[in-house]
Coordinates of all heavy atoms in Angstrom, one line a residue:
I274 N -35.2 -74.4 218.0 CA -35.7 -75.2 216.9 C -37.1 -75.8 217.2 O -38.0 -75.8 216.4 CB -34.7 -76.4 216.5 CG1 -33.5 -75.8 215.8 CG2 -35.3 -77.4 215.7 CD1 -32.3 -76.8 215.6
L275 N -37.2 -76.3 218.4 CA -38.5 -76.8 218.8 C -39.6 -75.7 218.8 O -40.7 -76.0 218.4 CB -38.4 -77.4 220.3 CG -37.5 -78.6 220.4 CD1 -37.4 -79.0 221.9 CD2 -38.0 -79.8 219.6
N276 N -39.3 -74.5 219.2 CA -40.2 -73.4 219.2 C -40.6 -73.1 217.7 O -41.8 -72.9 217.4 CB -39.7 -72.2 219.8 CG -39.6 -72.3 221.3 OD1 -40.4 -73.0 221.9 ND2 -38.7 -71.6 222.0
E277 N -39.7 -73.2 216.8 CA -40.0 -72.9 215.4 C -40.9 -74.0 214.8 O -41.8 -73.7 214.0 CB -38.7 -72.8 214.6 CG -37.9 -71.6 214.9 CD -38.5 -70.3 214.4 OE1 -39.2 -70.4 213.3 OE2 -38.4 -69.3 215.0
I278 N -40.6 -75.2 215.2 CA -41.4 -76.3 214.7 C -42.9 -76.2 215.2 O -43.8 -76.4 214.5 CB -40.8 -77.7 215.1 CG1 -39.5 -77.9 214.4 CG2 -41.8 -78.9 214.7 CD1 -38.7 -79.1 214.9
Y279 N -43.0 -76.0 216.5 CA -44.3 -75.8 217.2 C -45.1 -74.7 216.6 O -46.3 -74.7 216.3 CB -44.2 -75.7 218.7 CG -45.2 -76.4 219.5 CD1 -44.8 -77.2 220.5 CD2 -46.6 -76.3 219.2 CE1 -45.8 -77.9 221.3 CE2 -47.5 -76.9 219.9 CZ -47.1 -77.8 221.0 OH -48.1 -78.4 221.7
N280 N -44.4 -73.5 216.4 CA -44.9 -72.4 215.7 C -46.2 -71.8 216.4 O -47.2 -71.6 215.7 CB -45.3 -72.7 214.2 CG -45.6 -71.5 213.4 OD1 -45.1 -70.4 213.6 ND2 -46.4 -71.7 212.3
D281 N -46.1 -71.7 217.7 CA -47.3 -71.2 218.5 C -46.8 -70.5 219.7 O -46.1 -71.1 220.6 CB -48.2 -72.4 218.9 CG -49.5 -72.0 219.4 OD1 -49.6 -71.0 220.2 OD2 -50.5 -72.6 219.1
E282 N -47.0 -69.2 219.8 CA -46.5 -68.4 220.9 C -47.0 -69.0 222.3 O -46.3 -68.9 223.3 CB -47.0 -67.0 220.8 CG -46.2 -66.2 219.8 CD -44.7 -66.0 220.2 OE1 -44.4 -65.7 221.4 OE2 -43.9 -66.2 219.3
F283 N -48.2 -69.5 222.4 CA -48.7 -70.0 223.6 C -47.8 -71.2 224.2 O -47.7 -71.4 225.4 CB -50.1 -70.5 223.5 CG -50.8 -71.0 224.8 CD1 -51.2 -70.1 225.7 CD2 -50.9 -72.4 225.0 CE1 -51.7 -70.6 226.9 CE2 -51.5 -72.8 226.2 CZ -51.9 -71.9 227.2
Y284 N -47.2 -72.0 223.2 CA -46.4 -73.1 223.6 C -44.9 -72.9 223.6 O -44.1 -73.8 223.6 CB -46.8 -74.3 222.7 CG -48.2 -74.8 222.9 CD1 -49.1 -74.4 221.9 CD2 -48.7 -75.5 224.0 CE1 -50.5 -74.8 222.0 CE2 -50.0 -75.9 224.1 CZ -50.9 -75.5 223.1 OH -52.2 -75.9 223.2
K285 N -44.6 -71.6 223.5 CA -43.1 -71.3 223.4 C -42.4 -71.6 224.7 O -42.8 -71.2 225.7 CB -43.0 -69.8 223.0 CG -41.6 -69.4 222.6 CD -41.5 -68.0 222.1 CE -40.1 -67.6 221.7 NZ -40.1 -66.2 221.1
Q286 N -41.2 -72.2 224.5 CA -40.4 -72.6 225.7 C -39.2 -71.7 225.8 O -38.7 -71.1 224.8 CB -39.9 -74.0 225.6 CG -41.0 -75.1 225.7 CD -40.4 -76.5 225.7 OE1 -40.0 -77.0 224.7 NE2 -40.4 -77.1 226.9
T287 N -38.7 -71.5 227.0 CA -37.4 -70.9 227.2 C -36.5 -71.9 227.8 O -36.9 -72.8 228.6 CB -37.6 -69.7 228.2 OG1 -38.2 -70.2 229.5 CG2 -38.5 -68.6 227.6
P288 N -35.2 -71.8 227.5 CA -34.2 -72.8 228.0 C -33.9 -72.6 229.4 O -33.9 -71.4 229.9 CB -33.0 -72.6 227.1 CG -33.1 -71.2 226.6 CD -34.6 -70.9 226.5
Y289 N -33.6 -73.6 230.1 CA -33.2 -73.6 231.5 C -31.9 -72.8 231.6 O -30.9 -73.1 230.8 CB -33.0 -75.0 232.1 CG -32.7 -75.1 233.5 CD1 -33.3 -74.3 234.5 CD2 -31.8 -76.1 234.0 CE1 -33.1 -74.5 235.8 CE2 -31.5 -76.2 235.3 CZ -32.1 -75.4 236.2 OH -31.8 -75.6 237.6
E290 N -31.8 -71.9 232.6 CA -30.6 -71.1 232.7 C -29.3 -71.8 232.7 O -28.3 -71.5 232.1 CB -30.7 -70.2 234.0 CG -29.7 -69.1 234.1 CD -29.9 -68.0 233.0 OE1 -31.0 -67.8 232.6 OE2 -28.9 -67.4 232.6
K291 N -29.3 -73.0 233.5 CA -28.0 -73.7 233.6 C -27.6 -74.4 232.3 O -26.4 -74.8 232.1 CB -28.2 -74.8 234.7 CG -28.3 -74.2 236.1 CD -28.3 -75.2 237.2 CE -28.4 -74.6 238.6 NZ -28.5 -75.7 239.7
N292 N -28.6 -74.6 231.4 CA -28.2 -75.3 230.1 C -27.6 -74.3 229.1 O -27.1 -74.8 228.1 CB -29.5 -75.9 229.5 CG -29.9 -77.1 230.2 OD1 -29.2 -77.7 231.0 ND2 -31.2 -77.5 230.0
K293 N -27.6 -73.0 229.4 CA -27.1 -72.1 228.5 C -25.6 -72.2 228.3 O -25.0 -71.8 227.3 CB -27.4 -70.6 228.9 CG -28.9 -70.3 228.8 CD -29.2 -68.9 229.2 CE -30.7 -68.6 229.0 NZ -31.1 -67.3 229.4
D294 N -24.9 -72.8 229.3 CA -23.4 -73.0 229.2 C -23.1 -74.4 228.7 O -21.9 -74.7 228.7 CB -22.8 -72.7 230.6 CG -23.0 -71.3 231.0 OD1 -23.0 -70.4 230.1 OD2 -23.2 -71.0 232.2
E295 N -24.1 -75.2 228.4 CA -23.8 -76.6 228.0 C -23.1 -76.6 226.6 O -23.5 -75.9 225.7 CB -25.1 -77.3 227.8 CG -25.0 -78.8 227.6 CD -24.5 -79.6 228.8 OE1 -25.0 -79.4 229.9 OE2 -23.6 -80.4 228.6
V296 N -22.0 -77.3 226.5 CA -21.2 -77.3 225.3 C -21.8 -78.4 224.4 O -21.9 -79.6 224.7 CB -19.7 -77.6 225.6 CG1 -18.9 -77.7 224.3 CG2 -19.2 -76.5 226.5
M297 N -22.1 -78.0 223.1 CA -22.5 -78.9 222.1 C -21.3 -79.4 221.3 O -20.4 -78.6 221.0 CB -23.6 -78.3 221.2 CG -24.8 -77.7 222.0 SD -25.9 -76.7 220.9 CE -26.6 -78.0 219.9
D298 N -21.3 -80.6 220.9 CA -20.3 -81.1 220.0 C -20.4 -80.6 218.6 O -19.4 -80.4 217.9 CB -20.3 -82.7 220.0 CG -20.0 -83.3 221.3 OD1 -19.2 -82.7 222.1 OD2 -20.5 -84.4 221.6
F299 N -21.6 -80.3 218.2 CA -21.9 -79.7 216.9 C -23.2 -79.0 216.9 O -24.1 -79.4 217.8 CB -21.8 -80.7 215.8 CG -22.6 -81.9 216.0 CD1 -24.0 -82.0 215.7 CD2 -22.0 -83.1 216.6 CE1 -24.7 -83.1 215.9 CE2 -22.8 -84.2 216.8 CZ -24.1 -84.2 216.5
L300 N -23.5 -78.1 216.0 CA -24.8 -77.5 216.0 C -25.8 -78.4 215.4 O -25.5 -79.3 214.6 CB -24.7 -76.2 215.1 CG -23.9 -75.1 215.6 CD1 -23.8 -73.9 214.6 CD2 -24.5 -74.5 216.9
P301 N -27.1 -78.3 215.8 CA -28.1 -79.2 215.2 C -28.1 -79.2 213.7 O -28.0 -78.2 213.1 CB -29.4 -78.6 215.8 CG -29.0 -77.9 217.0 CD -27.7 -77.3 216.7
E302 N -28.1 -80.4 213.1 CA -28.0 -80.5 211.7 C -28.9 -81.5 211.1 O -29.4 -82.5 211.7 CB -26.5 -80.9 211.4 CG -26.1 -82.3 211.9 CD -24.6 -82.6 211.6 OE1 -23.8 -81.6 211.7 OE2 -24.3 -83.7 211.3
V303 N -29.2 -81.3 209.8 CA -30.0 -82.2 209.0 C -29.1 -82.7 207.9 O -28.4 -81.9 207.2 CB -31.2 -81.5 208.3 CG1 -31.9 -82.4 207.3 CG2 -32.2 -81.1 209.4
R304 N -29.0 -84.0 207.7 CA -28.2 -84.6 206.7 C -29.2 -85.2 205.6 O -29.9 -86.1 205.9 CB -27.3 -85.7 207.2 CG -26.3 -85.1 208.3 CD -25.3 -86.2 208.7 NE -24.3 -85.6 209.6 CZ -23.2 -86.3 210.0 NH1 -22.9 -87.4 209.5 NH2 -22.4 -85.7 210.9
I305 N -29.1 -84.7 204.4 CA -29.9 -85.2 203.3 C -29.0 -86.2 202.6 O -28.0 -85.8 202.0 CB -30.4 -84.1 202.4 CG1 -31.3 -83.1 203.2 CG2 -31.1 -84.6 201.2 CD1 -31.7 -81.9 202.5
V306 N -29.3 -87.5 202.6 CA -28.4 -88.5 202.2 C -29.1 -89.5 201.2 O -30.3 -89.5 201.1 CB -27.9 -89.3 203.4 CG1 -27.1 -88.4 204.4 CG2 -29.0 -90.0 204.1
T307 N -28.3 -90.2 200.5 CA -28.8 -91.2 199.5 C -28.9 -92.6 200.1 O -29.6 -93.5 199.6 CB -27.9 -91.2 198.3 OG1 -26.6 -91.5 198.6 CG2 -28.0 -89.9 197.5
D308 N -28.2 -92.8 201.2 CA -28.1 -94.2 201.9 C -28.2 -94.0 203.4 O -27.2 -93.7 204.0 CB -26.9 -94.9 201.5 CG -26.9 -96.4 202.0 OD1 -27.5 -96.7 203.0 OD2 -26.2 -97.2 201.3
I309 N -29.4 -94.1 203.9 CA -29.7 -93.9 205.3 C -28.8 -94.8 206.2 O -28.2 -94.3 207.1 CB -31.2 -94.0 205.7 CG1 -32.0 -92.9 205.1 CG2 -31.4 -94.1 207.2 CD1 -32.0 -91.6 205.8
E310 N -28.9 -96.1 205.9 CA -28.2 -97.0 206.8 C -26.7 -96.8 206.8 O -26.0 -96.8 207.9 CB -28.5 -98.5 206.3 CG -29.9 -98.9 206.6 CD -30.3 -98.9 208.0 OE1 -29.5 -99.2 208.9 OE2 -31.4 -98.4 208.3
K311 N -26.1 -96.5 205.7 CA -24.7 -96.2 205.6 C -24.4 -94.9 206.4 O -23.4 -94.9 207.1 CB -24.3 -96.0 204.1 CG -22.8 -95.7 203.9 CD -22.4 -95.6 202.5 CE -20.9 -95.2 202.3 NZ -20.6 -95.0 200.9

Side-chain angles (χ1 to χ4, degrees):
I274 287 172
L275 295 176
N276 286 336
E277 288 292 326
I278 296 172
Y279 219 129
N280 191 29
D281 191 322
E282 282 297 315
F283 182 76
Y284 297 103
K285 190 172 182 178
Q286 290 184 290
T287 56
Y289 185 43
E290 191 66 31
K291 291 183 179 179
N292 287 344
K293 290 182 178 179
D294 298 324
E295 188 73 46
V296 178
M297 304 171 72
D298 294 329
F299 51 85
L300 292 174
E302 63 185 38
V303 173
R304 300 188 179 190
I305 298 174
V306 301
T307 56
D308 189 331
I309 289 282
E310 291 302 319
K311 182 182 178 183

